[in-house]
Amino acid sequence: MSSLITEDEISHESQLVWLEDIDDLDYVRQSLDRLPTRRGKPAYHRDGRMVGYALLGPTAKASRASGTFRRRVFWLLPHDRDSQPGGLYAKSAPAEAVDPRTLEARVKGYKTERSEGGPPSSAMQQLGITLPL
């Protein structure tokens, strides 16, 4: 879950790779997965689809116990807002979701009014920013 991801755990990220246009996504789910390599597209074993992943730099160390690397994977489930705009997350977001526009390598990201599906804040209204509701 995003709240459990620490800056230290993502400190070896060198790049985020997006498989879809994140401008079209209000939120993505993020998790730290144990993967066999620092780089390359990881295998995906969840329902839904992977929309991005992190690449690690050469200083990232594998776990002594498992030999795996902890890397972020970004994903969506079939019932998420992008597939079901009026569904379960029409006006909210799952706990592990963040606005993909707030993500960068070594940056956890955070929820925004847009990712939460709520009405725009007064600051957003003053800037002329509108949400796709």
Side-chain angles (χ1 to χ4, degrees):
M1 303 228 177
S2 61
S3 60
L4 301 178
I5 294 174
T6 67
E7 298 291 334
D8 185 53
E9 291 174 308
I10 60 177
S11 64
H12 293 284
E13 290 180 345
S14 62
Q15 180 183 351
L16 299 183
V17 175
W18 295 107
L19 304 172
E20 297 184 20
D21 183 357
I22 60 172
D23 290 336
D24 296 335
L25 300 173
D26 293 343
Y27 65 80
V28 296
R29 296 171 185 254
Q30 71 174 339
S31 59
L32 273 174
D33 292 359
R34 292 199 175 277
L35 301 171
T37 62
R38 288 182 183 94
R39 303 184 67 74
K41 182 179 176 182
Y44 184 72
H45 304 289
R46 293 180 178 91
D47 286 343
R49 67 191 195 275
M50 178 171 46
V51 296
Y53 55 91
L55 302 179
L56 302 180
T59 60
K61 302 272 189 266
S63 162
R64 287 184 209 169
S66 66
T68 58
F69 297 89
R70 289 176 55 94
R71 289 172 51 193
R72 280 195 294 179
V73 175
F74 306 100
W75 45 285
L76 291 166
L77 292 176
H79 60 273
D80 280 324
R81 191 182 315 145
D82 70 302
S83 297
Q84 294 185 8
L88 177 64
Y89 293 112
K91 300 287 185 202
S92 65
E96 67 272 18
V98 294
D99 186 329
R101 286 160 293 279
T102 67
L103 290 164
E104 293 178 32
R106 299 175 300 282
V107 175
K108 292 192 307 185
Y110 53 90
K111 292 184 189 277
T112 63
E113 286 97 344
R114 178 181 178 133
S115 68
E116 287 292 303
S121 66
S122 58
M124 288 178 68
Q125 291 172 348
Q126 289 172 359
L127 293 170
I129 300 170
T130 58
L131 300 176
L133 294 176

